[in-house]
Amino acid sequence: MIHLGEYDPKLEGIWWVEEAGMSCNVYVLNQGRALIDAGNFFGMLHELSQEFDISLLEQLFISHCHFDHVGGMGELFDWCNPKVYAHMDTLPYINFRNVPFMKIMEKAGRLDQVVMLRGGERLQVGPLQLEVIPTPGHTKGDVCYYEPERRILFSGDTVFPSSATENILADADQALGSMEQQVASLARLVPYPVDFLLPGHGMPAFSDGSDHILNAYIETRKSVEEDTRRPYLDAARLLSDIGRPEKALECYNLTLMLDPANLEALVYKGTTLTELQHFDEALAIFDKILRVAPELEEALMGKGFALLGLGRVDEALRLPGFAARLKELV
């Protein structure tokens, strides 16, 4: 078991039990009173008990129903009686030797210890507050847990750290999963500012978590769609919407590497350059567009704002329709 505070002070109070065999990563919070996932290997309780009093475990957060994430619950419940938090679409698929988990809990008189999540909840876990983000795709009921103050994402099997142009992705469960939902879930995660990405498998990422999520979104889309330009364009729009213009610009440039004449990418690149106050570069982009599409309104308006940024007000106002548009905005 590794104290992640050794890697970064913002991870103080979070321990990592590394995956082994058919077991996932397990994360320990609040001085041993909370776990994220239960793992599935004999001996984990012994490892936990070296550092914490297992009988004090109060909260168990499940990312999804696969046995490598829930199998350890059987051993845990021999020693403690934590509340189990899991998405409503995951609970029906947790079972032990074909006996449904909910039936086991009912028979044991512990049904009141099950907390059914729907997504959007904010749960206090010691000094941390976890937001529940529904991320179906790998299975029906996957969730991620996000800590906004420290910008930590416990990502389960939804997204793993991977380098640019690489994509380590858990396949969609044939019975319970959907690649379409997986893509939508990755898009849902892109706006979250993430520094630390703590996944269900593999090594955590101790920096640039948002970039790992963005990469997973783009590469997953590219793997299932014929048009390889569209993922970059859509990612750039997402990034623009959340105030990350520099990263959006990278995506527009990647689109234009694939298709240098793509007018949509050129318009948005010019607009982003204007937002970043690179007015000369933006003007050059809009002039390039207008040479092939002289009546394109978005390019005319973009050129006008670039000219305004350069202090060339009279030129801007002479552009067709720009003065009227400017008046609407004032």
Side-chain angles (χ1 to χ4, degrees):
M1 184 163 51
I2 300 169
H3 181 212
L4 295 182
E6 297 174 7
Y7 290 88
D8 192 288
K10 290 184 178 179
L11 297 173
E12 179 68 31
I14 301 174
W15 283 261
W16 170 36
V17 182
E18 190 174 0
E19 65 179 328
M22 294 297 292
S23 177
C24 69
N25 291 330
V26 173
Y27 298 97
V28 188
L29 315 177
N30 194 21
Q31 295 298 315
R33 291 179 172 82
L35 297 180
I36 293 184
D37 282 328
N40 179 41
F41 64 89
F42 184 77
M44 185 182 75
L45 282 186
H46 175 74
E47 186 167 353
L48 291 173
S49 66
Q50 301 302 300
E51 189 76 34
F52 306 108
D53 182 351
I54 298 302
S55 68
L56 299 179
L57 183 67
E58 299 170 351
Q59 296 171 299
L60 171 59
F61 299 93
I62 299 299
S63 65
H64 65 289
C65 61
H66 282 161
F67 205 70
D68 56 329
H69 292 256
V70 303
M73 280 200 289
E75 190 178 6
L76 276 174
F77 275 101
D78 288 338
W79 293 88
C80 53
N81 188 32
K83 287 189 178 296
V84 178
Y85 298 77
H87 194 272
M88 58 187 297
D89 292 337
T90 271
L91 285 167
Y93 297 99
I94 300 175
N95 65 81
F96 298 88
R97 296 183 180 178
N98 295 320
V99 180
F101 169 67
M102 295 296 279
K103 183 67 69 176
I104 294 172
M105 294 298 280
E106 182 180 10
K107 191 171 182 180
R110 289 174 163 175
L111 204 55
D112 62 339
Q113 291 298 94
V114 179
V115 180
M116 186 180 295
L117 303 174
R118 289 172 170 78
E121 297 90 347
R122 295 179 184 271
L123 308 168
Q124 200 65 40
V125 186
L128 306 178
Q129 186 180 77
L130 301 183
E131 177 186 345
V132 180
I133 307 172
T135 53
H138 177 53
T139 73
K140 285 184 179 180
D142 285 62
V143 296
C144 295
Y145 299 99
Y146 177 66
E147 210 295 315
E149 185 174 341
R150 304 193 196 185
R151 296 161 64 119
I152 302 166
L153 185 73
F154 298 94
S155 62
D157 285 4
T158 299
V159 57
F160 306 113
S162 56
S163 61
T165 73
E166 175 192 26
N167 189 26
I168 301 170
L169 183 72
D171 292 335
D173 185 295
Q174 289 187 353
L176 303 177
S178 157
M179 285 304 299
E180 183 178 349
Q181 286 188 327
Q182 184 86 315
V183 167
S185 292
L186 291 169
R188 187 175 300 120
L189 290 176
V190 168
Y192 284 85
V194 176
D195 293 331
F196 307 100
L197 183 63
L198 308 186
H201 298 277
M203 183 76 179
F206 298 111
S207 63
D208 303 321
S210 291
D211 288 345
H212 289 288
I213 294 166
L214 177 64
N215 177 67
Y217 168 69
I218 291 171
E219 294 301 318
T220 302
R221 292 240 351 233
K222 285 167 62 179
S223 72
V224 298
E225 298 178 16
E226 291 184 8
D227 186 351
T228 56
R229 303 164 300 178
R230 195 74 244 170
Y232 290 113
L233 277 169
D234 290 348
R237 297 305 306 279
L238 285 171
L239 293 163
S240 293
D241 289 344
I242 61 171
R244 296 181 65 194
E246 294 89 352
K247 202 68 186 178
L249 192 60
E250 291 180 23
C251 291
Y252 290 130
N253 285 333
L254 288 167
T255 305
L256 291 166
M257 285 177 63
L258 296 170
D259 181 7
N262 188 295
L263 289 181
E264 183 180 359
L266 286 167
V267 167
Y268 285 124
K269 178 179 178 179
T271 302
T272 304
L273 286 167
T274 300
E275 181 182 351
L276 293 169
Q277 299 186 17
H278 301 318
F279 300 118
D280 283 318
E281 294 177 66
L283 183 59
I285 292 286
F286 290 122
D287 280 337
K288 178 180 179 179
I289 298 169
L290 291 168
R291 282 195 289 271
V292 296
E295 297 182 3
L296 186 64
E297 183 179 359
E298 293 90 342
L300 287 165
M301 296 304 103
K303 179 174 180 177
F305 286 112
L307 286 168
L308 287 182
L310 291 167
R312 294 157 62 177
V313 178
D314 290 342
E315 287 181 65
L317 295 177
R318 286 198 296 270
L319 292 170
F322 183 74
R325 176 63 174 152
L326 192 62
K327 189 175 180 181
E328 291 176 6
L329 296 173
V330 173

